Amino acid sequence: MLVAPLLFSCRKGKPSTKTYRFTETMQVDGLSRKYVLNLPPNYYEQSGFSLVIAMHGGGGSAAQFESTSLLTQKANSAGFIVVYPEGTGVINTWNAGTCCGPAVTNNINDVKFISMLIDKLIASYKINPKKVYATGHSNGGMMSYRLACELSTKIAAIAPNGSTMVVTQPCNPARAVPVLHMHSKLDQHVVYTGGYGNGVSGVYCPPLDSVFNVWSLKNNCTTTKQTIFSNSNYTLTRWLNCTNNVTIDYYLTNDGGHGWPGGLPGGPNSDIPSTSINANDLLWSFFQQYQLP
């Protein structure tokens, strides 16, 4: 995990010590919610930074996802701010709808947490409010979809990985939301063809085709899905001619499993991630195409 040097403050109007990394908490509905924030090396010389919200999978943590996704390294080299919020429970989970675990059982309002976190970070750091994005793995990817449904006025685009959409309320975004989805054919935890899998016990995961059908309707895409690229490593499917020129991009790899493409295994017994694509490169290239109106 990267530990950036301490120089002098990143807070607006506080010319004390400059810091590039923070592990902080905020109170939401009586709960102390944790997050890890990383500022890129050029933070003090520039302004109008993009913010990427990166959410861990069920049972993960902010520190774990930062370490295994390698997203901080990408953020530092590309020059964007990344925040790793943390779920709740003894085994950290997100309330993405029907999944997962204690967050659902306890009806944790994770949408409120992320909304408040966005407001706090925009008020405290040099972030362009039109350039806020969400990504996540597994349960964190599911949470990305819920945010796209409920916080489309704050989040410009999403990039879920190894996940599906499990919202329990009708998805009614206020605007068309660009979607980049990454998945492996070999993922047996969240199976791309739908079902119960072996990673989210008792939770039915809708097939991805149905998820993309929902978003193509929500985004008013008039062109049916098209295969943009396909080889022995992966297939890229895209939905075009959508409102405000947004797209839905779907990368399906033939290698890997339930892991972050181009990253490290999430734990000692986790799948080896795909090497056919690099999630960090793809999501940053995708996010740069979009901002809020």
Side-chain angles (χ1 to χ4, degrees):
M1 188 179 303
L2 293 180
V3 179
L6 303 180
L7 298 175
F8 55 98
S9 164
C10 69
R11 301 302 183 106
K12 290 179 178 175
K14 290 189 178 180
S16 52
T17 47
K18 206 186 231 187
T19 312
Y20 290 88
R21 293 181 57 74
F22 302 88
T23 298
E24 296 187 341
T25 60
M26 59 187 294
Q27 295 298 309
V28 183
D29 293 336
L31 296 175
S32 180
R33 302 303 303 266
K34 177 182 174 182
Y35 61 91
V36 174
L37 181 74
N38 185 83
L39 306 177
N42 64 338
Y43 178 76
Y44 298 98
E45 291 71 47
Q46 298 183 26
S47 61
F49 288 89
S50 297
L51 171 67
V52 174
I53 303 163
M55 292 169 286
H56 62 77
S61 68
Q64 167 271 316
F65 191 48
E66 179 183 37
S67 177
T68 59
S69 69
L70 308 179
L71 186 54
T72 289
Q73 288 89 323
K74 179 65 179 180
N76 284 340
S77 63
F80 61 88
I81 297 173
V82 59
V83 63
Y84 303 89
E86 195 159 274
T88 57
V90 176
I91 298 176
N92 291 320
T93 58
W94 301 102
N95 181 2
T98 61
C99 185
C100 292
V104 173
T105 304
N106 297 323
N107 196 28
I108 301 297
N109 194 340
D110 283 317
V111 173
K112 181 178 180 180
F113 168 40
I114 299 300
S115 181
M116 290 178 63
L117 178 61
I118 292 170
D119 292 345
K120 180 179 180 180
L121 296 181
I122 288 174
S124 302
Y125 300 95
K126 297 185 290 184
I127 294 168
N128 184 337
K130 294 184 177 182
K131 295 183 177 182
V132 177
Y133 311 94
T135 186
H137 172 62
S138 193
N139 183 207
M142 297 174 186
M143 192 65 207
S144 296
Y145 276 118
R146 183 167 187 181
L147 296 177
C149 293
E150 299 184 38
L151 285 185
S152 65
T153 58
K154 289 188 174 183
I155 292 175
I158 63 169
N161 174 73
S163 62
T164 185
M165 188 165 74
V166 292
V167 295
T168 55
Q169 300 297 319
C171 181
N172 290 311
R175 47 172 282 276
V177 180
V179 177
L180 165 68
H181 188 108
M182 298 163 285
H183 219 102
S184 167
K185 282 186 178 180
L186 305 181
D187 190 334
Q188 294 301 305
H189 285 66
V190 181
V191 182
Y192 78 103
T193 54
Y196 287 90
N198 59 19
V200 282
S201 178
V203 176
Y204 175 77
C205 293
L208 293 181
D209 280 350
S210 68
V211 173
F212 302 138
N213 284 339
V214 168
W215 280 102
S216 66
L217 290 172
K218 296 297 178 184
N219 291 346
N220 295 311
C221 304
T222 58
T223 300
T224 57
K225 63 180 181 180
Q226 296 182 351
T227 300
I228 303 300
F229 179 85
S230 184
N231 64 11
S232 60
N233 296 319
Y234 71 91
T235 298
L236 167 59
T237 304
R238 178 172 293 158
W239 286 255
L240 294 161
N241 295 324
C242 313
T243 299
N244 295 330
N245 294 317
V246 309
T247 62
I248 301 168
D249 282 6
Y250 172 33
Y251 287 84
L252 183 63
T253 66
N254 294 319
D255 69 334
H258 194 64
W260 188 256
L264 304 175
N269 299 313
S270 299
D271 293 345
I272 302 297
S274 168
T275 57
S276 295
I277 60 174
N278 184 290
N280 298 335
D281 292 343
L282 290 177
L283 68 83
W284 180 236
S285 177
F286 186 77
F287 287 163
Q288 286 180 283
Q289 300 175 58
Y290 302 105
Q291 65 178 43
L292 292 174

